[in-house]
Amino acid sequence: MAQANVKMPIFSQEETSYELKVPYLKKLFRFLLPYKKWLFLTIIFMFIATVADLVSPYLLKKAVDDFIPKKDFKGILAIGVLLVLTLFINKECSKNKIKLANRTGQMVLFDIRKALFDHVQSLSFSYFDRNSTGRIIVRIVNDVNTLNNLFTNGIVNVITDMSSLVLATVIMFSIHPKLAAVTFTVVPLFLAILFATRNAIKKNWRKVRRKIANLNAYIHENISGIRVIQAFVRQKVNKAIFKEVIDDVFVSWMKAIKINNLFGPFVEICSMIGTLIIYWYGVKLLKINGVTVGTLIAFVSYLDRFWRPVVTLSNFYNQLLVASSSSERIFEILSIEPEIKEDENPVDLSTFKDSIEFKNVWFSYKDDNYVLKDITFKVKKGQMIALVGATGSGKTTIVNLLARFYDPQKGSILIDGIDLRKISFRSLRRLIGIVQQEPFLFSGTILDNILYGRPEASLDEAIGVCKFLGVHEFISQLENGYYTQVNERGTRLSTGQKQLICLARLLLQNPEILILDEATSALDTQSELMVQSALNKVTKDRTSIVIAHRLSTIRDADLIIVLDKGQIVEMGTHDSLVSKKGVYYELCTSQVRFVKAG
């Protein structure tokens, strides 16, 4: 049977511009301001190391021209001591320069990454709706990592190299201006090569970065979807696709390296030509106006110190290009304002006293496509309210608005007569506890997860909550009890066990208003019975808003709200709604027919 061709995937990538963006670099360098003392000290060490290095050829010139011809042993010995001293000073200052530069650079990266992480945590849910997790992680990790070379070595090295270039040039012209001028006739040739190769190098490395981004995306997708891959036995096909992806990276990388490596030999050639000019023209000057052998030796040494930093300086421009592009994406996130903001003078609600009220609430995730239309209802303290309706009817959106993960475009939501927009985030979310359909556990121990909302709580308090919910027994049977490590998302536990731990975490926080977002819909029958029993204990004497997929669990609700396409179509108790034989009645009878058919 013919097999369909499997093409290499192309992942959507952001258009990346590698033009120098000075305003973003200025913003980036502001992160250096708290460490300007350390940077200044680094530059001092750098300058001393550079001067010590540049003194050596001049000392050698003095030895060759003044002391060796006269067989002045003391003078030669003094020069030798001075050479050793300059070498020691150079090495010690260079060591301290590198240490301080790396410390300063890492502190700057720490501050940038922390600022990004703190800001991302403050952003509204709408931002995460529009942006993938992978894209956000790339900002905090990869984009900041690309600044590593710039801040740890790049800035200090470019100052070092510029100082070395300038000082070497000044010294050469001060020793013999005519010989220096002739020596630097090779510089225009170098500049021509630099401008000819720079664009090609930049273009090819840009292509490499795109290929690597494609590789990372494919790896991320495959690891995330490993269960589906194994279920469909796609390993062999995916292996072939992955080979194409890494081959693509390999080819583009080798091409970029090939072009990049041409630059080094060009610099060597220019340096060699310069050296030949020194010897050719210098020998002529020896006969004409007394250029000494020491001068020629010093010139060759200084020429080496001139060309040595050139490669670093030319690469620094590429570092700036990458840094400006990364900084643009970093500041793009930092400039985003949270859509859900706390009031300048928020009200702290210490307790829930009376009621929750939705008044003519309209909400849209995008444009004017409203998913909630004119929602009005009231929940009294101690009541259980159930939200029912087909998928997409707006049930989860209502509870998201109550927790103020979003704000309505029209209407208002009140707790005890106070608009949610006036209530502080901390007090609002201390009052409200949410049990989600998909339980989420963090890496760490089971105890860490139970204490997540109240880290100051004691072990005895955590155990007491677990015993109350009937969770203590299964936790105690694990290899390390409450100190058993769980992987990210709790993959070592069943969905029911994870949900029970999440309930313990919630009950330890002791919220007065409870939201249950289809908390048992993903469970098997036995796990559902365990979780439902725990839920009954949690909801007792609390105000509860329940999104139910099994209508039998909400028969005793004080008020059932039936939603259809974002509108309330029915409200009442179970018995009153069944007697109407409307939408709710149809939902009940269809579930009964489904259960009987099963």
Side-chain angles (χ1 to χ4, degrees), residues 118 142 199 203 333:
D118 291 348
N142 292 11
N199 288 333
K203 179 181 177 182
I333 288 185

Side-chain angles (χ1 to χ4, degrees), residues 221-459:
E221 184 182 72
N222 274 258
I223 293 173
S224 299
I226 189 65
R227 288 171 175 79
V228 177
I229 289 168
Q230 293 188 4
F232 284 90
V233 198
R234 277 270 306 194
Q235 293 95 322
K236 190 174 181 179
V237 176
N238 287 4
K239 183 180 177 181
I241 295 173
F242 185 69
K243 185 180 182 302
E244 289 187 51
V245 174
I246 56 177
D247 280 346
D248 212 21
V249 172
F250 177 78
V251 170
S252 60
W253 181 278
M254 292 307 295
K255 186 176 180 181
I257 285 290
K258 183 178 179 181
I259 296 174
N260 199 73
N261 285 348
L262 288 174
F263 188 72
F266 280 140
V267 174
E268 292 293 330
I269 290 169
C270 291
S271 178
M272 190 184 302
I273 293 171
T275 304
L276 289 173
I277 290 172
I278 289 173
Y279 285 128
W280 171 74
Y281 191 67
V283 169
K284 284 189 172 186
L285 291 177
L286 277 172
K287 300 174 182 178
I288 299 170
N289 59 356
V291 169
T292 63
V293 173
T295 301
L296 292 180
I297 293 172
F299 257 73
V300 171
S301 296
Y302 282 124
L303 190 65
D304 176 62
R305 283 160 174 78
F306 177 86
W307 288 108
R308 198 190 303 164
V310 164
V311 176
T312 308
L313 288 171
S314 61
N315 288 334
F316 181 71
Y317 181 76
N318 287 335
Q319 282 186 15
L320 283 179
L321 287 173
V322 174
S324 67
S325 181
S326 294
S327 62
E328 180 183 16
R329 294 192 293 267
I330 288 169
F331 286 108
E332 175 192 326
I333 288 185
L334 291 175
S335 65
I336 295 171
E337 291 289 332
E339 293 179 18
I340 310 302
K341 295 182 180 180
E342 192 170 67
D343 192 81
E344 291 183 4
N345 298 298
V347 176
D348 282 322
L349 285 183
S350 57
T351 186
F352 174 49
K353 297 177 181 177
D354 182 51
S355 65
I356 300 166
E357 188 173 5
F358 278 64
K359 280 188 173 182
N360 309 112
V361 170
W362 292 69
F363 177 76
S364 169
Y365 289 103
K366 186 178 179 181
D367 302 326
D368 293 329
N369 184 24
Y370 288 102
V371 294
L372 291 180
K373 304 166 187 174
D374 200 23
I375 301 296
T376 300
F377 66 88
K378 192 169 186 177
V379 183
K380 298 294 289 183
K381 183 176 180 178
Q383 286 187 325
M384 175 190 282
I385 306 299
L387 303 174
V388 300
T391 301
S393 59
K395 306 185 297 294
T396 299
T397 302
I398 286 176
V399 297
N400 281 338
L401 290 175
L402 178 56
R404 211 185 163 211
F405 296 141
Y406 303 90
D407 279 339
Q409 281 80 27
K410 302 177 186 177
S412 57
I413 304 167
L414 312 173
I415 292 183
D416 291 343
I418 303 171
D419 194 301
L420 288 191
R421 296 180 182 91
K422 298 289 185 181
I423 302 173
S424 69
F425 287 142
R426 177 167 289 274
S427 66
L428 174 65
R429 288 165 188 168
R430 284 290 180 189
L431 288 177
I432 297 174
I434 303 176
V435 182
Q436 298 172 333
Q437 181 177 348
E438 184 182 352
F440 190 97
L441 297 182
F442 295 90
S443 297
T445 65
I446 288 176
L447 181 62
D448 291 335
N449 278 278
I450 293 172
L451 297 177
Y452 194 80
R454 269 189 66 204
E456 72 280 4
S458 66
L459 174 61

Side-chain angles (χ1 to χ4, degrees), residues 128-161:
F128 300 97
D129 294 338
R130 295 190 300 267
N131 296 279
S132 68
T133 303
R135 182 176 182 268
I136 298 167
I137 291 172
V138 164
R139 291 289 173 276
I140 299 174
V141 179
N142 292 11
D143 279 330
V144 177
N145 283 344
T146 59
L147 305 176
N148 184 57
N149 286 335
L150 178 68
F151 280 113
T152 55
N153 296 307
I155 295 172
V156 173
N157 282 349
V158 78
I159 297 172
T160 304
D161 294 334

